[in-house]
Amino acid sequence: MTESASPSSGTDFVGRRAEVERLETVWAAVEGDRRQVVFVGGEPGVGKTRLVAEAAAALRAHGATVLWGACREDLDIPYRPFVAILEQALEQTPPEVLRGIAPTAAAPLRRLTANVSRYWPTEPVPGEPDSRPALFDALLRVLLATAERAPLVLVLEDLHWAPEPTLAMLSHLVESTAGERLLVLATRRTTAPDRTDAVSFALADLHRLDGVARIDLVGLSTEDVAAYLVRAAGVSPGAARAAAPVLRDHTGGNPFFLQEYWHDLANRGGLGAIRSSVAAPRSVQDALARRLAAFDADHARVIELAAVAGDVADPAILADELGSTEVLAGIDFGMRAGLLVAGAVDGEYRFAHALARQAVLDRMSASDLAAAHARVARAIQARDPSQVVALAHHYFRARALGYADEAVRYLVLAARQAERGIAHREAAILYERAAQVHLAQGPSRAELLSAAARCHMHGGDFTTARSLYEDLATDVDPRVRLTAAIGHEDTSWRPSANGQRSLAMLREALAAAALDPDDPLSVRARASMGRAAAFTGDSDRARRIGEDALARARALGDEELLAHALSTTLWQGLRPDLAPQLLTRAIELNEIGSRLGEDDHRGPAAFHRAVFAYILGDETAWSSAQRDLTELALARGQPFFRYVAGCSRCAHRYAVGDFAGTARISDWLDDQFIHEFGGGTEGSWGVQQFMLRRVTGGLEQVRPLITGDESFDDHWLPGLLAIYTELEMVAPAARVLTHLCAGLGDYRSGAQWPGVLAFATEAAVLLDDTVVATTLRPLLAEYAGANLMAGASVAVFGSADRYLAELDSVLGADTADRHFERALAMDRRMGALTHQAETLAAWSRHRLRHPDAVAGPSAADLATEARALARRIGHRRILRDLDADPAPHTDRVPLPNGLTEREVDVLRLVAEGLSNREIGERLFISANTAANHVRSILIKTAAPNRTKAAIFATEHGLL
């Protein structure tokens, strides 16, 4: 392939003046080094591809490089349009330019196409982990190298069929090329059933960026229809004007429908047939079916085989099965009939429209379809067996004709390829298809469904994964049932589902398997039982079972088994007495996961390291864990890791007083995950929003909605109590507090327990309730010397000693000041400005209440320091309580790692993907000065490259 393929309908191009003018304006911006993206939308056949093809042809004539890729509904190739674009870029870019890209940087491209080995022959490093950023950056390097020679145009067709990996790659490309001479033209259907929420949400997110626009096409006007009749049909202008309103009415101005309607009329005598008694076609399918019926058998066979082969018809592939003479005659007939058009590449043909191809497929019988798929598969296998996805697709469709073994073989190969490309859901679908085929040999149905369930889990579809494991739990083999029960538990803890069902499945399967207690499968199952018990609230049982499984796993010496056992014990509770031991285990789990190259171990390890490091007040370990978690989230593309990494960053930004950053991350979590995990994130998001709004004064907005008479049955009582407390609704708060304290035991085993204690303590302090304070104090004393965290990084409250001190203040105990001192020391060690301000304000209130209790700082000095901190970070709650001006002060929070304001400006542009030259232009400095700033940033942040520096900026809320 020497140049990109730009499909055309082969008909005259009429109308679209406004759209063409819009694209001319867009191109002017591209020539000014401003990346532009245009999404062209509309119904099928409305002319999206034709408009883009005309624009692409004009731009190519003006020296632009045009690369073309398309999504397909019936072929599950992750990144499909970008694979085509990459292969075209490799052929069109001089080899010496490509060799300027380091082999290690280009190595991830092997996951997309084997053609890269011609330019970078270095073999991949064994055990090298797959990483989305590395893959995306590698593709970006090639495209930018291509764009150095001439402005680059990327055409992405049928984006409505794009799976999540393709959308993620598109987002990375758009976000990383703001200052490049790049134009992305993407077509998508915007009508049901092709319009999907996933694509709509992804594109809506991109519309926030500069240079991203949309063009929505509608039908041609009556004047345009008349122009079409004159140009394409040779009709006189007068006759065309007379017939145009009728055709416009029948076709809605849809160009493809118009073309097909005209073909139908032409076969029946021309415009005069409009008034004939012969019925007009009810749809474009009717018109196409009528035309196809006129084909002779040989011609029809060629067109049908071409339709089965795909949207591009390669005569060489077809000729392997039908003979070259028959194929060429059939293609020639298809072009005369308007079904096929010539592509931009010599010898390539395409269907005039996807609807034309679909009409051909719809008229074929099931047996004819299967036979045609078999023919195409044999031809592809003989010519290029590396096309495993295409072979999987065609052999699967032909499986009824004796190709079951080939179908499963290529489906599994395609699924593994999708996994290497971090395309989890696509891999799951391929494994499930393989499981539909019954084989005497090869992978078993249980193995294939287990692989599919694992991929669904990695893709965040826990419901489907659990359903597959439920199916496998009915298998006749007890070991299969036990493995399924282990998998069911693994897909339950991530979305924090109740472990009761998993526990029952594990118990039943273990009994049926009757394994030796030291059998590795038995040990694995027992470890999973321990975690399942933890998610039923039975922490004592969870610890007992988990510790036994861990001891047996250590004795067996199997690192993979040991990692599983370690991971399951990390859920034994957020208690401070367990935190040191569990933090040590999380560190051990991370070390094993790193040795094995297994991110399913490193992810939970980073997650729990962050949790327990915060509880213990280890700021260094807390920050390190967040960095690892962020990198894993970016690299693996797993929604679960992305979500928990977001929660951890949200908690960190809140603690350090970056409320704007907290709000951005919380909004992102809501936008990205509100529909994920079966809605299981809604409660966590509600707590995050409450914590944020109460420090920024946002709760006043809900005051009119709160009556004080809310039903206990319809609300989470600790949350309702927190709202009443914050709004100083004394009587309702007292009513809920009494009810809550009567049932405190119901909350003690849950992950929210520390937050329940914090909310109850705040209410007791507001009400000056010594009875409740006496009840709460011994419960809080268990957390002395630790920080309080609700859930796993859902909400952070700071030192438990502050809450103990406040209770002691209510009770008149002389230990209050000592606990305040410890709390402030913890807050400062953590760099937590929010917690520091809250401790200082609470201590000031205590000193006002008990001015002569013991020697210590004055209430006024404490209040002054609290006000200063609160102004710096905009903590309106403290400023309100201290009767200060609630407007945030202009003082700035110290920048991390000694970065200067100018370096932060540069770092933000680095995170946008700008080059040193572009940064210089944006900040009115030289490229050399920009390079010096970047070098200083890398040194100060200890980042080995610009990507790591961007991650640093994200973690510290600098973007």
Side-chain angles (χ1 to χ4, degrees):
M1 186 181 294
T2 57
E3 62 178 318
S4 58
S6 52
S8 169
S9 68
T11 61
D12 288 272
F13 184 65
V14 297
R16 308 305 186 200
R17 295 180 186 86
E19 290 83 358
V20 169
E21 291 175 359
R22 178 91 175 274
L23 290 176
E24 288 173 348
T25 302
V26 165
W27 184 247
V30 173
E31 291 185 311
D33 288 352
R34 287 182 290 157
R35 182 266 302 124
Q36 300 289 297
V37 182
V38 180
F39 295 108
V40 181
E43 67 178 3
V46 78
K48 303 180 295 294
T49 295
R50 186 57 192 276
L51 174 64
V52 167
E54 291 292 328
L59 295 174
R60 185 186 293 115
H62 282 81
T65 301
V66 181
L67 308 180
W68 205 287
C71 302
R72 260 181 64 181
E73 183 180 24
D74 58 352
L75 198 57
D76 301 299
I77 301 178
Y79 315 110
R80 185 178 193 270
F82 289 108
V83 172
I85 284 170
L86 172 62
E87 291 178 338
Q88 295 162 32
L90 293 177
E91 293 184 1
Q92 296 189 43
T93 306
E96 62 271 16
V97 174
L98 294 175
R99 282 194 287 270
I101 301 173
T104 53
L109 295 175
R110 293 174 180 275
R111 293 182 232 152
L112 300 183
T113 174
N115 290 342
V116 301
S117 59
R118 288 185 294 168
Y119 306 95
W120 301 283
T122 305
E123 290 298 320
V125 179
E128 182 181 8
D130 298 324
S131 163
R132 266 194 176 178
L135 175 62
F136 293 178
D137 285 342
L139 176 70
L140 189 60
R141 288 173 187 270
V142 173
L143 295 181
L144 292 181
T146 304
E148 283 292 321
R149 301 168 56 242
L152 179 61
V153 180
L154 302 183
V155 179
L156 303 175
E157 273 210 273
D158 296 323
L159 207 59
H160 49 274
W161 287 324
E164 187 274 335
T166 299
L167 294 173
M169 184 172 276
L170 173 62
S171 296
H172 180 83
L173 171 71
V174 173
E175 292 170 355
S176 304
T177 53
E180 301 295 338
R181 292 188 300 167
L182 170 67
L183 171 61
V184 178
L185 295 174
T187 67
R188 62 181 289 247
R189 296 180 186 175
T190 53
T191 53
D194 301 300
R195 183 185 66 246
T196 64
D197 289 342
V199 174
S200 297
F201 291 153
L203 301 190
D205 202 39
L206 288 179
H207 277 289
R208 298 179 294 103
L209 304 176
D210 290 338
V212 179
R214 61 184 290 175
I215 295 176
D216 290 323
L217 299 184
V218 296
L220 298 174
S221 67
T222 302
E223 292 77 12
D224 293 334
V225 172
Y228 170 81
L229 291 173
V230 171
R231 293 190 199 177
V235 175
S236 68
R241 285 194 297 272
V246 179
L247 269 68
R248 174 67 173 76
D249 181 59
H250 276 300
T251 65
N254 183 296
F256 185 68
F257 293 178
L258 175 63
Q259 171 191 312
E260 295 308 311
Y261 198 176
W262 169 248
H263 273 294
D264 185 72
L265 290 173
N267 290 334
R268 295 192 282 119
L271 290 180
I274 293 178
R275 297 181 295 275
S276 70
S277 59
V278 179
R282 292 186 300 274
S283 68
V284 66
Q285 284 84 0
D286 289 346
L288 287 165
R290 188 177 293 168
R291 197 168 347 143
L292 289 166
F295 280 28
D296 64 33
D298 289 342
H299 293 155
R301 188 161 51 246
V302 173
I303 298 300
E304 288 171 352
L305 196 62
V308 167
D311 46 1
V312 177
D314 183 349
I317 293 290
L318 306 183
D320 282 353
E321 290 292 323
L322 297 180
S324 58
T325 302
E326 181 181 349
V327 167
L328 292 176
I331 287 176
D332 184 57
F333 189 89
M335 293 184 68
R336 292 200 306 272
L339 287 174
L340 297 177
V341 296
V345 177
D346 288 341
E348 178 187 274
Y349 301 88
R350 294 174 176 267
F351 279 87
H353 196 278
L355 294 175
R357 175 175 174 254
Q358 192 58 49
V360 176
L361 295 174
D362 288 344
R363 71 189 295 269
M364 297 175 67
S365 68
S367 59
D368 287 344
L369 274 170
H373 278 293
R375 286 175 170 178
V376 172
R378 290 195 301 264
I380 293 175
Q381 187 175 23
R383 288 178 172 271
D384 187 3
S386 68
Q387 295 188 40
V388 294
V389 179
L391 289 167
H393 168 69
H394 292 298
Y395 274 130
F396 179 72
R397 302 296 183 195
R399 64 191 184 281
L401 301 181
Y403 293 97
D405 288 339
E406 289 88 346
V408 171
R409 175 190 171 197
Y410 284 109
L411 282 166
V412 171
L413 288 174
R416 291 172 180 168
Q417 180 174 295
E419 285 192 90
R420 289 193 297 273
I422 325 292
H424 309 296
R425 299 188 187 190
E426 290 69 28
I429 291 170
L430 292 164
Y431 279 126
E432 285 188 84
R433 285 182 187 163
Q436 295 177 32
V437 184
H438 298 289
L439 293 175
Q441 298 179 339
S444 68
R445 176 177 178 273
E447 291 171 321
L448 293 169
L449 286 183
S450 293
R454 183 192 69 245
C455 291
H456 276 305
M457 178 182 67
H458 288 165
D461 188 353
F462 301 117
T463 301
T464 300
R466 282 196 296 272
S467 177
L468 290 176
Y469 283 127
E470 290 272 9
D471 181 10
L472 288 169
T474 63
D475 196 273
V476 295
D477 186 340
R479 292 184 72 91
V480 170
R481 296 203 299 273
L482 185 55
T483 302
I486 294 170
H488 189 278
E489 189 277 329
D490 204 22
T491 60
S492 297
W493 73 263
R494 296 172 194 249
S496 299
N498 186 285
Q500 200 62 55
R501 173 58 183 155
S502 296
L503 197 58
M505 289 175 65
L506 286 161
R507 188 186 304 113
E508 179 182 337
L510 262 175
L515 301 175
D516 182 278
D518 289 323
D519 183 297
L521 185 59
S522 175
V523 174
R524 181 176 291 270
R526 294 280 297 174
S528 294
M529 282 184 71
R531 184 165 57 194
F535 277 89
T536 66
D538 191 346
S539 55
D540 291 338
R541 184 184 186 191
R543 184 164 177 77
R544 185 173 63 255
I545 297 174
E547 292 302 303
D548 176 71
L550 180 59
R552 293 179 186 273
R554 288 194 187 281
L556 289 172
D558 182 332
E559 277 206 320
E560 176 64 39
L561 181 61
L562 176 58
H564 176 74
L566 285 167
S567 181
T568 58
T569 63
L570 296 178
W571 284 101
Q572 292 177 356
L574 301 181
R575 291 159 35 190
D577 59 321
L578 295 178
Q581 180 188 49
L582 297 183
L583 178 58
T584 300
R585 289 182 183 178
I587 294 171
E588 182 183 4
L589 177 61
N590 180 64
E591 293 169 350
I592 295 175
S594 298
R595 283 197 299 273
L596 297 178
E598 181 52 75
D599 289 340
D600 277 352
H601 299 322
R602 294 179 60 228
F607 174 42
H608 286 283
R609 280 163 52 214
V611 169
F612 295 125
Y614 175 79
I615 291 173
L616 294 173
D618 188 337
E619 194 280 333
T620 301
W622 190 29
S623 296
S624 171
Q626 287 180 75
R627 282 195 296 273
D628 289 351
L629 195 52
T630 299
E631 287 191 34
L632 280 166
L634 292 171
R636 302 307 299 163
Q638 292 190 26
F640 172 76
F641 289 151
R642 290 170 60 218
Y643 175 72
V644 296
C647 286
S648 185
R649 291 203 311 275
C650 192
H652 184 268
R653 299 324 303 165
Y654 176 89
V656 300
D658 178 8
F659 302 138
T662 305
R664 286 194 297 271
I665 297 171
S666 180
D667 289 344
W668 175 81
L669 288 168
D670 185 46
D671 290 341
Q672 294 286 314
F673 299 99
I674 189 171
H675 299 297
E676 296 272 8
F677 316 142
T681 65
E682 189 174 358
S684 298
W685 181 78
V687 174
Q688 290 166 347
Q689 284 294 297
F690 169 79
M691 297 293 289
L692 177 62
R693 291 186 181 189
R694 75 172 181 173
V695 297
T696 57
L699 279 183
E700 287 302 317
Q701 298 171 3
V702 304
R703 186 183 290 275
L705 307 176
I706 306 297
T707 66
D709 297 320
E710 281 72 20
S711 168
F712 290 175
D713 295 333
D714 299 332
H715 297 85
W716 184 54
L717 283 189
L720 183 61
L721 175 63
I723 291 176
Y724 287 159
T725 301
E726 196 58 35
L727 297 179
E728 297 185 345
M729 300 174 70
V730 175
R735 180 168 60 93
V736 175
L737 183 60
T738 299
H739 190 81
L740 180 67
C741 286
L744 272 179
D746 297 337
Y747 297 92
R748 187 159 190 174
S749 61
Q752 301 292 346
W753 172 240
V756 173
L757 286 177
F759 289 148
T761 296
E762 290 167 356
V765 171
L766 171 71
L767 300 171
D768 204 25
D769 190 327
T770 57
V771 174
V772 171
T774 301
T775 300
L776 293 176
R777 199 189 185 290
L779 300 175
L780 259 174
E782 297 176 12
Y783 292 84
N787 284 313
L788 297 178
M789 171 184 283
S793 297
V794 172
V796 289
F797 295 87
S799 173
D801 281 286
R802 183 201 330 141
Y803 288 89
L804 281 169
E806 290 191 275
L807 291 178
D808 285 349
S809 182
V810 170
L811 296 171
D814 59 8
T815 51
D817 286 275
R818 184 165 69 250
H819 284 298
F820 276 124
E821 287 177 3
R822 292 174 179 172
L824 190 57
M826 168 74 84
D827 299 339
R828 286 174 172 158
R829 186 167 71 245
M830 295 293 289
L833 299 185
T834 300
H835 301 335
Q836 287 180 48
E838 290 168 347
T839 298
L840 289 164
W843 198 355
S844 172
R845 290 192 295 270
H846 164 70
R847 297 298 293 181
L848 285 173
R849 181 187 288 130
H850 305 286
D852 301 320
V854 294
S858 71
D861 289 344
L862 292 167
T864 297
E865 189 176 354
R867 284 191 186 97
L869 274 177
R871 286 195 184 100
R872 284 172 57 189
I873 62 178
H875 199 314
R876 293 176 176 270
R877 179 193 189 206
I878 288 175
L879 295 173
R880 178 202 65 198
D881 291 347
L882 295 177
D883 297 323
D885 179 3
H889 198 269
T890 56
D891 290 349
R892 294 180 176 272
V893 179
L895 295 172
N897 290 46
L899 291 172
T900 66
E901 293 284 355
R902 177 54 105 186
E903 286 170 345
V904 170
D905 291 339
V906 172
L907 180 53
R908 287 172 179 147
L909 298 179
V910 167
E912 290 182 25
L914 273 62
S915 67
N916 291 339
R917 175 180 61 81
E918 293 158 353
I919 292 171
E921 292 172 352
R922 187 78 67 87
L923 298 179
F924 302 100
I925 58 179
S926 70
N928 187 55
T929 301
N932 289 335
H933 281 309
V934 171
R935 190 176 303 111
S936 175
I937 290 167
L938 296 179
I939 293 171
K940 289 182 178 181
T941 61
N945 52 49
R946 296 165 82 102
T947 299
K948 298 290 187 183
I951 292 174
F952 176 92
T954 300
E955 292 172 345
H956 291 80
L958 300 179
L959 299 184

